[in-house]
Amino acid sequence: MTSDPKKIESEVEGEREDSDELKNDLIFLESAVEPFVRILESWERTFDYRQNLFKEPSFEIDKIFNKFPCSKMPYALELFEADFNRIYPEKIDIVHSEGPKICRAIIKESEERKVSPFKEDIEDTNKKALFLLPYMFSPVTIKKGKSNSGIYRPTRKEVQESFFVQAENFEEIEDLISKRSKLLDPLEIPIQPFMAEVGNHFFIYFYGMQYKLDSSLRSLELLYKIYHSLNLEYPAESKHVWQVIQDAIFKMPISGKSSNVVTFLNDLKVHTV
């Protein structure tokens, strides 16, 4: 059977137009920060290209801010969330139905285990649970480096600081980042994005950028979506904490769960029946 020349020509022309459109969108994203409507349209049209880019071993994710200036803007979280929602459409709103329930279960389990690391009680249930979660596990030993000889055993507080830290001011956050860098740099482990409460406001710290949020649960949701939309690894210190969140709240499969994580997840189920 002979192929239709007109059909082939039409397909080639369509591919050429798609290629030109992609090129124009990338040129736009590599320089513009407004208007947001146009930014979002170009961001969505370049989805496949960017996903492949983020998965390349040679691509350093902190360079995203130079390549795409729009990622430094306050609205950037909406862009990362749009990517996540496209990859996992069935998980778009799951945090709102599962998050509060799991947070209550974490608090109940902490009461049974008599885990109470705070001087004063925290009234916000979601925030209290997220601060408690890192204290529910024994510290894990981290080994990494070219010789695989580097060893670091973070305390529970240090695990919390890699996940969700509370500070009086931004200077305190910067001091904590500096302290963690001194511990992790020799192990060739990057400081991954984390949540923070400064004063009465919540933030996501992402490679030097700060994104302001209105609640602890919303911060958790968007930080989780950043990890999965940008193909990032969880922080080395709190990997087990994020595995609990991935399984219990987002209902997404995990490979290589530790026995401690499996046990804790089973304990949580008792409080959610």
Side-chain angles (χ1 to χ4, degrees), residues 61-129:
I61 201 65
D62 57 326
K63 300 298 189 295
I64 189 176
F65 304 112
N66 293 327
K67 187 168 183 62
F68 303 118
C70 57
S71 62
K72 294 188 287 188
M73 304 302 291
Y75 58 67
L77 292 180
E78 295 182 47
L79 302 179
F80 303 137
E81 184 173 36
D83 281 353
F84 177 92
N85 292 347
R86 183 165 172 174
I87 302 169
Y88 306 103
E90 74 282 4
K91 306 296 181 182
I92 290 178
D93 296 319
I94 195 170
V95 71
H96 304 295
S97 60
E98 298 298 324
K101 178 173 63 177
I102 297 302
C103 285
R104 289 192 295 270
I106 290 171
I107 292 175
K108 289 179 181 178
E109 182 61 23
S110 73
E111 292 170 350
E112 287 193 4
R113 297 188 182 196
K114 295 181 170 49
V115 175
S116 182
F118 314 122
K119 295 179 180 179
E120 297 179 3
D121 191 33
I122 300 175
E123 294 183 3
D124 183 328
T125 300
N126 296 329
K127 183 175 76 172
K128 180 178 181 178

Side-chain angles (χ1 to χ4, degrees), residues 19-34 38-39 42-43 46 49 66-70:
S19 178
D20 290 341
E21 184 177 58
L22 173 62
K23 186 183 298 183
N24 291 334
D25 283 327
L26 288 173
I27 291 173
F28 177 70
L29 289 176
E30 289 172 358
S31 59
V33 295
E34 59 181 20
R38 170 76 191 284
I39 292 286
S42 293
W43 188 266
T46 58
Y49 169 86
N66 293 327
K67 187 168 183 62
F68 303 118
C70 57

Side-chain angles (χ1 to χ4, degrees), residues 198-210:
V198 183
N200 296 319
H201 301 289
F202 298 94
F203 296 86
I204 288 176
Y205 269 72
F206 181 20
Y207 293 109
M209 302 301 299
Q210 300 171 13

Side-chain angles (χ1 to χ4, degrees), residues 1-271:
M1 181 180 294
T2 304
S3 300
D4 184 348
K6 291 185 178 180
K7 182 178 179 181
I8 293 175
E9 183 179 351
S10 176
E11 290 175 350
V12 170
E13 183 62 28
E15 291 177 359
R16 185 181 298 114
E17 289 177 357
D18 289 344
S19 178
D20 290 341
E21 184 177 58
L22 173 62
K23 186 183 298 183
N24 291 334
D25 283 327
L26 288 173
I27 291 173
F28 177 70
L29 289 176
E30 289 172 358
S31 59
V33 295
E34 59 181 20
F36 175 70
V37 173
R38 170 76 191 284
I39 292 286
L40 182 59
E41 290 174 350
S42 293
W43 188 266
E44 291 177 339
R45 284 196 293 263
T46 58
F47 173 81
D48 291 330
Y49 169 86
R50 289 182 296 94
Q51 284 298 302
N52 289 330
L53 177 67
F54 299 154
K55 292 175 183 177
E56 289 182 4
S58 60
F59 183 75
E60 298 177 15
I61 201 65
D62 57 326
K63 300 298 189 295
I64 189 176
F65 304 112
N66 293 327
K67 187 168 183 62
F68 303 118
C70 57
S71 62
K72 294 188 287 188
M73 304 302 291
Y75 58 67
L77 292 180
E78 295 182 47
L79 302 179
F80 303 137
E81 184 173 36
D83 281 353
F84 177 92
N85 292 347
R86 183 165 172 174
I87 302 169
Y88 306 103
E90 74 282 4
K91 306 296 181 182
I92 290 178
D93 296 319
I94 195 170
V95 71
H96 304 295
S97 60
E98 298 298 324
K101 178 173 63 177
I102 297 302
C103 285
R104 289 192 295 270
I106 290 171
I107 292 175
K108 289 179 181 178
E109 182 61 23
S110 73
E111 292 170 350
E112 287 193 4
R113 297 188 182 196
K114 295 181 170 49
V115 175
S116 182
F118 314 122
K119 295 179 180 179
E120 297 179 3
D121 191 33
I122 300 175
E123 294 183 3
D124 183 328
T125 300
N126 296 329
K127 183 175 76 172
K128 180 178 181 178
L130 295 179
F131 275 129
L132 274 170
L133 186 54
Y135 289 90
M136 306 294 282
F137 300 89
S138 298
V140 295
T141 299
I142 300 171
K143 296 182 180 181
K144 204 160 183 181
K146 291 181 179 179
S147 62
N148 200 34
S149 60
I151 295 177
Y152 168 41
R153 190 174 179 83
T155 64
R156 288 180 174 85
K157 186 174 187 300
E158 288 172 332
V159 172
Q160 184 200 42
E161 290 170 352
S162 74
F163 171 65
F164 189 5
V165 62
Q166 191 173 32
E168 295 293 330
N169 50 58
F170 294 109
E171 289 75 16
E172 188 176 338
I173 299 286
E174 294 302 324
D175 288 343
L176 287 172
I177 292 174
S178 177
K179 177 184 175 183
R180 286 185 64 209
S181 293
K182 291 178 181 178
L183 291 168
L184 297 179
D185 285 351
L187 301 177
E188 301 171 1
I189 297 175
I191 293 180
Q192 300 292 56
F194 62 93
M195 297 179 291
E197 183 186 27
V198 183
N200 296 319
H201 301 289
F202 298 94
F203 296 86
I204 288 176
Y205 269 72
F206 181 20
Y207 293 109
M209 302 301 299
Q210 300 171 13
Y211 302 102
K212 187 177 179 180
L213 284 308
D214 58 5
S215 73
S216 57
L217 198 59
R218 180 60 172 157
S219 300
L220 177 76
E221 177 185 21
L222 287 174
L223 184 51
Y224 183 86
K225 290 181 175 182
I226 284 175
Y227 276 116
H228 287 267
S229 64
L230 296 178
N231 196 40
L232 297 178
E233 292 185 4
Y234 293 139
E237 305 102 310
S238 52
K239 179 180 179 180
H240 54 296
V241 174
W242 280 106
Q243 286 183 335
V244 169
I245 291 165
Q246 180 173 329
D247 186 294
I249 295 180
F250 286 89
K251 310 299 182 185
M252 290 170 60
I254 305 168
S255 59
K257 286 184 286 190
S258 68
S259 58
N260 287 338
V261 169
V262 172
T263 299
F264 185 73
L265 287 170
N266 288 334
D267 291 340
L268 283 186
K269 290 177 182 178
V270 175
H271 304 296

